[in-house]
Amino acid sequence: MFKSFTIRIFASVLAAALLSIGCTVYFGLRAMEQGQELDVRERMISEASLASELCRLNGGDAAKVADYFATKGHKELRLTIVDSKGDVVFDSMRKDTGESLDNHADRPEIIEAAREGSGFSMRDSGTLSETLVYAAVSMGDGSILRLAVPMSEVRHVLWSRSEMLLRTGLLAAFLSALFAVLVSLSLKKSFQPMIHVVKDIASGHLERRISAYPGKEFAPLAEAVNSMAHSIEEQLKTQADQTAQLETILNAMSDGVLVLGQKGHIRRCNRAMERSFPAISSSNLNWSGEIRIAD
């Protein structure tokens, strides 16, 4: 299949296009993931700051703040209050139970919030057995408020953006395949004038010349074919002139002359020979130039 020049052109154009599209989509997704992480960090820290302010305005009633976020559609959001020692004083997921939670002083977002005022991290939760996104802010009295949402929500937002990029990539791939087909067919069509001229030259129309070709890269080929046709034409003219001169010389001779082939067949005779032997006539020459003598 790949012996066809047109198929090779099609495959080359399509492969180059798909490689470019694949690289663009891959690095685009990587860049989008990195940008998405920054967006999630800013959004989560902003919501944690809002929760901290609402908690302050409600006299430290974290449960009311958690209920407020739940009414706004954040049912999966988890709100935790940690004191200065890292002990959990409130957790929206465990507020109705007396079960104690592990000390959170070693959590990365808690450490970062205690040091810089806000912190962020993404990791698996030891208590909920799922990946969560954490954002924590210092409340000013040494305690730290932390929000957590499942990674599935973040991935849903990321996928909605990635899906658009993937669809664009698939559309570009389809257009690239269509473009590759058009290029290969156009190239094949542009060769047709050259092919017709070469066929005409091969059939004996030596006056034909290639004047149209696909591109300047094919100019040497066109010049070579034209030069070959001109050379053959000149050789045939020279041969015809030499044959005419030989005929003139033979017919001017008073003696009869026979020209024999390699197998002894008569190839040519002059007029003197025809007069001496009427059975030998140029009308008796067959297609190969041989002479048949009637019995």
Side-chain angles (χ1 to χ4, degrees):
M1 181 178 66
F2 286 97
K3 292 182 179 180
S4 170
F5 181 73
T6 304
I7 295 297
R8 290 202 298 268
I9 291 295
F10 167 77
S12 300
V13 173
L14 183 60
L18 292 180
L19 180 61
S20 300
I21 293 171
C23 291
T24 301
V25 171
Y26 173 75
F27 289 108
L29 290 175
R30 291 290 301 274
M32 189 175 292
E33 288 179 358
Q34 295 175 357
Q36 182 68 21
E37 183 176 342
L38 293 176
D39 291 343
V40 171
R41 176 186 176 93
E42 293 178 0
R43 188 186 69 182
M44 288 293 296
I45 291 179
S46 176
E47 291 187 357
S49 299
L50 174 62
S52 176
E53 183 64 18
L54 290 175
C55 190
R56 185 185 65 81
L57 293 176
N58 285 276
D61 191 348
K64 185 179 293 185
V65 176
D67 292 338
Y68 168 79
F69 276 98
T71 60
K72 295 298 181 180
H74 300 284
K75 296 181 180 180
E76 298 295 326
L77 184 142
R78 180 183 182 184
L79 189 150
T80 306
I81 303 293
V82 180
D83 63 18
S84 58
K85 296 180 180 180
D87 294 327
V88 177
V89 297
F90 174 82
D91 189 279
S92 61
M93 294 295 181
R94 304 295 179 94
K95 60 183 179 181
D96 296 330
T97 66
E99 183 181 354
S100 61
L101 297 174
D102 296 336
N103 187 281
H104 282 35
D106 59 343
R107 304 297 195 270
E109 67 279 0
I110 300 297
I111 296 174
E112 186 178 359
R115 184 177 65 250
E116 301 180 7
S118 63
F120 176 84
S121 69
M122 289 187 296
R123 67 176 189 279
D124 294 336
S125 171
T127 56
L128 298 181
S129 300
E130 64 178 322
T131 302
L132 298 177
V133 179
Y134 297 93
V137 294
S138 175
M139 301 182 66
D141 59 354
S143 60
I144 294 174
L145 182 146
R146 187 186 71 177
L147 295 181
V149 295
M151 189 64 183
S152 57
E153 290 191 8
V154 177
R155 285 175 178 166
H156 175 73
V157 177
L158 177 61
W159 172 246
S160 64
R161 297 182 180 181
S162 302
E163 187 178 12
M164 182 180 298
L165 182 60
L166 290 174
R167 288 180 177 178
T168 303
L170 291 175
L171 177 61
F174 172 76
L175 294 178
S176 298
L178 180 61
F179 176 74
V181 171
L182 294 177
V183 168
S184 58
L185 291 179
S186 176
L187 184 61
K188 181 179 181 180
K189 183 178 180 180
S190 65
F191 274 111
Q192 293 304 316
M194 291 182 63
I195 295 173
H196 291 324
V197 172
V198 172
K199 285 183 177 180
D200 288 343
I201 292 174
S203 63
H205 300 283
L206 300 175
E207 73 282 357
R208 295 295 306 276
R209 296 292 184 270
I210 296 176
S211 58
Y213 38 84
K216 63 180 182 179
E217 294 82 4
F218 296 92
L221 176 61
E223 292 176 358
V225 173
N226 290 338
S227 177
M228 178 188 67
H230 176 74
S231 177
I232 295 174
E233 187 177 19
E234 290 297 322
Q235 290 178 11
L236 291 179
K237 287 181 180 180
T238 301
Q239 185 178 3
D241 292 340
Q242 292 175 351
T243 301
Q245 292 175 6
L246 179 60
E247 288 287 344
T248 302
I249 293 173
L250 290 175
N251 290 329
M253 295 176 63
S254 58
D255 297 329
V257 177
L258 282 177
V259 179
L260 301 178
Q262 293 180 353
K263 296 182 180 181
H265 298 291
I266 299 174
R267 303 287 295 181
R268 191 180 302 278
C269 68
N270 63 354
R271 292 176 182 175
M273 180 62 70
E274 291 180 2
R275 288 193 297 267
S276 301
F277 300 94
I280 301 176
S281 172
S282 59
S283 62
N284 290 327
L285 291 174
N286 62 19
W287 66 272
S288 64
E290 298 176 353
I291 298 177
R292 298 187 301 273
I293 301 178
D295 295 334

